Amino acid sequence: MSGPGAPHGPEAEWLGRALQLAHDNVAGGGGPFGALVVRDGEVLAQGVNLVTPTLDPSAHAEVVAIRRACQAVGDFRLPGCVLVSSCEPCPMCLATALWARVDRVVYGADRHDAATAGFDDRAFYDLFTTPRERWAVSVSQVPHARAVAPFTAWGARTDRTDY
């Protein structure tokens, strides 16, 4: 592709790599998703969708790449990093990126492209704007005398690592 709006620069290169990971994962029988975590132009880690081979519903490409990047740098925070994904991250992956404190997220295909291929996250996006009493799964608080005790213990620790 060339001309105005054509991909160029390092982001296009990184995205091309994420797209190739996704394509290769499909060829190997996996899901069509690939992701990279990049810092200062260096790919710290990459991941592909491993949900079905690992039987882990959280093993999305972005989460796998973030986990690996955190291990590579020895920290659960990834400031200065860019998450590059072959597709718009689902709410879980986006939340993981936010918790990891990446600086930016860039992606190729969007949620509508994913939905066309059978990966429709619309229900998850819509869920958070729907009152909980209308959710299909029940999520409710159960009062307990010790419910906040772990937070009290956490707050009392002077050696804790805040996040």
Side-chain angles (χ1 to χ4, degrees), residues 62-84:
E62 299 90 340
V63 173
V64 171
I66 289 168
R67 287 175 180 160
R68 290 176 177 168
C70 288
Q71 291 297 307
V73 301
D75 198 343
F76 58 87
R77 296 165 293 218
L78 297 170
C81 290
V82 179
L83 173 64
V84 181

Side-chain angles (χ1 to χ4, degrees), residues 26-38:
V26 169
F33 303 96
L36 311 171
V37 175
V38 180

Side-chain angles (χ1 to χ4, degrees), residues 33-100:
F33 303 96
L36 311 171
V37 175
V38 180
R39 180 186 282 161
D40 298 327
E42 176 189 349
V43 175
L44 296 179
Q46 62 187 36
V48 294
N49 184 287
L50 297 175
V51 170
T52 56
T54 62
L55 304 177
D56 178 355
S58 70
H60 290 200
E62 299 90 340
V63 173
V64 171
I66 289 168
R67 287 175 180 160
R68 290 176 177 168
C70 288
Q71 291 297 307
V73 301
D75 198 343
F76 58 87
R77 296 165 293 218
L78 297 170
C81 290
V82 179
L83 173 64
V84 181
S85 180
S86 62
C87 185
E88 180 178 3
C90 74
M92 176 187 68
C93 293
L94 185 56
T96 302
L98 294 172
W99 275 111

